[in-house]
Amino acid sequence: MQTVTILGLETSCDETSVAVIRNGKLLSNIISSQIVHEQYGGVVPELASRAHQKLIVPVVNEAMAKAEVRKEELSAVAVAVGPGLMGSLLVGVNFGKAFAYGLGIPFIAVNHMEAHIYSNFIDDPVPQFPSMNLTVSGGHTQLVLLKDEFTYEIVGETKDDAAGEAFDKVAKMLNLGYPGGPQIDIYAKKGNPNAIKFPRPYATENDFHFSFSGIKTSVLYYLRDNKLRDTEIPEQLLADICASFQSSVVDVLVQKTIRAAQQYGVRDIAVAGGVSANSRLRDEMKKAAEKNGLQLFIPKFEYCTDNGAMIAEVGYRKYQRSIFSPINATAIANLEL
Ligand code: KG4
Ligand code: ZN
């Protein structure tokens, strides 16, 4: 068997991550999360690209060393080319193209959202085609029917905020820092999810689109009406707000995913993207899948948020089909699936 070794680069937002996959087996996945943004309460694009610029070479070296792979052994370089922040993407794309060109090996452009879907294919067992995929990240919320390898149909997406964006914005209102999703998840564990009734937009409607800005605004109105803005919120109330908000978002995500799977007649459902690290989403999706006789796939925590492994996984699959990209391929900030 021919040995295929793929280097995967991910620099689309604030994680500089590099992975090596050989013959479908992950050998290394180094993730360097940029902490510079914390003090600003959100990702500062210019600072993100500067940090990627500083980190890309050391992170590549670390990933190669951990995998015990020499650059001459690489078969191709796969890079996330979008969607994402232009300045951040360009660091990975330009480095990856130069690296591939210098080594005389193919360059493989990878769609970041497609890669999130394939984060469920890194370790066995993997979903069977067709599968219904919920991708929930900071920039996107989509329900995607994966009909076959690289054959997609978007069956629903958000009309306004992404789920992760809603988590981050609500966390900001509650002064919980950035990124807010993990903070809300932690506080919610001590709270009552039924304490406050926030809306569940489109939950019962017969399409698979989402809307999260209304839930976010309801939290804002709740804080305003109860004179809780810019004040120290008592610990238990804060936990109840987090738990109630989280439960609204999770309810909608779970209901729509199950209904989409039923409508399209698929047995395997998969969740991916940063919000798939959310403990309530994981628990509720598991319960709902079991109740409805569906098989659920959720990646390990390190494959939920942005990572090089998912890019290398897509790269490996494209390599086998000889899907390569020209050297003049470039970053596309709003690349669609
Ligand atoms: O996939 P990702 O790392 O980056 C994008 O492609 O956007 O997703 C980041 C998003 C952020 O909005 C973050 O708050 C959210 O994922 N997130 C979570 C959790 N961990 C990360 N949201 C809810 N609960 C979590 N435990
Ligand atoms: Zn992502």
Side-chain angles (χ1 to χ4, degrees), residues 10 12-15 83-84 112-113 116 136-140 162-169 171 178-186 189 245-246 272-282 301 303-307 310:
E10 160 59 44
S12 60
C13 190
D14 60 341
E15 253 93 33
H112 176 86
M113 295 313 293
H116 271 304
V136 265
S137 69
H140 292 80
E165 188 180 355
F167 268 96
D168 294 337
K169 286 178 176 169
Y178 183 87
Q183 295 300 324
I184 291 192
D185 197 349
I186 292 167
K189 288 203 167 79
F245 160 75
Q246 179 175 274
V275 182
S276 64
N278 183 266
S279 55
R280 188 175 174 93
L281 178 61
R282 295 172 89 95
F301 280 112
Y303 309 150
C304 287
T305 45
D306 293 346
N307 65 86
M310 64 186 192

Side-chain angles (χ1 to χ4, degrees), residues 180-200:
Q183 295 300 324
I184 291 192
D185 197 349
I186 292 167
Y187 279 92
K189 288 203 167 79
K190 292 173 261 168
N192 172 7
N194 302 313
I196 307 152
K197 191 82 189 145
F198 292 125
R200 275 129 176 94

Side-chain angles (χ1 to χ4, degrees), residues 198 217-229:
F198 292 125
T217 310
S218 299
V219 177
L220 183 68
Y221 288 168
Y222 178 85
L223 297 177
R224 186 197 62 190
D225 296 347
N226 292 282
K227 310 217 166 7
L228 294 167
R229 295 208 67 191

